[in-house]
Structure formats: structure tokens, C-alpha cells
Amino acid sequence: QVQLVESGGGLVQAGGSLRLSCAASRTISIFTTMAWYRQAPGKQRESVATISSGGSTNYADSVLGRFTISRDNAKNTVYLQMNSLKPEDTAIYYCYAEEIIFGYWGQGTQVTVSS
């Protein structure tokens, strides 16, 4: 079993920045993909950014150029740097880690962007 613990959420004004962290209870080098998802009230959970074990990244069109995902295998941590935040970025942000056949979710961290 793997535990993923997110941190770094909070309340920020539009145009501001936050950095989310996702700390894993074991080495993240075993995961083929790690990702950040988000879910806004009344909406489905959506993928925000993914990073492969080799470091390849993908982003949702809505965050491209504003968000950056990175991973530090030595610290067993994945980050999401969020810049130029908009009110529509308000959501609960979840960390996700995938092995070959298993996927793991964190509990989520709230991000609220005020206008």
C-alpha cells in the first residue's frame, strides 16, 4: 500500500502562485506515471498535469504555460508549481500515482483563488 499526502493548498488572490507537494510513503521511482488532478464543485475530476518516470510531461490546455509539474525521486515527492492563478483554478487538487496495474490517490488539498 502507498500513501500520498498533498500539501501546499490555500487561499490566494488571482494572479498569485502556489506550490503543491505530494509526498509518497515509498520510493516514487516505481511509478510509471504521477499526476495532479483537480475537481471543482459540481464538476468531474480532471487531469491537470502528468509526469512519466522518464520525466516527460503533459498538461491540460487550461493550465499550459502557467503550471509546471516536477518530481524529486530522492525526496519521494512530486510538485505542482502554479503561477498566474485564476478563479477558475479553484478546486480540490489530488495527487495520483500509477504502477503497472495499480493506481493510488491522495486525500486532496483545497486551492481557492479569489478574484
Side-chain angles (χ1 to χ4, degrees), residues 8-93:
L11 174 64
V12 64
Q13 287 189 330
S17 298
L18 285 174
R19 188 176 82 154
L20 305 183
S21 299
C22 171
S25 60
R26 54 190 277 193
T27 177
I28 64 172
S29 60
I30 63 171
F31 299 123
T32 55
T33 299
M34 297 195 74
W36 287 95
Y37 285 72
R38 68 185 180 187
Q39 187 167 18
K43 295 188 176 181
Q44 289 189 329
R45 192 172 297 189
E46 63 175 356
S47 174
V48 175
T50 65
I51 185 166
S52 72
S53 57
S56 298
T57 58
N58 280 288
Y59 298 92
D61 288 344
S62 59
V63 306
L64 193 61
R66 300 188 298 122
F67 290 11
T68 303
I69 188 171
S70 61
R71 60 193 290 168
D72 186 336
N73 287 354
K75 294 184 178 180
N76 296 330
T77 301
V78 173
Y79 303 97
L80 185 68
Q81 178 65 44
M82 306 187 295
N83 299 327
S84 303
L85 282 160
K86 304 176 181 180
E88 51 263 44
D89 294 319
T90 295
I92 299 175
Y93 283 71

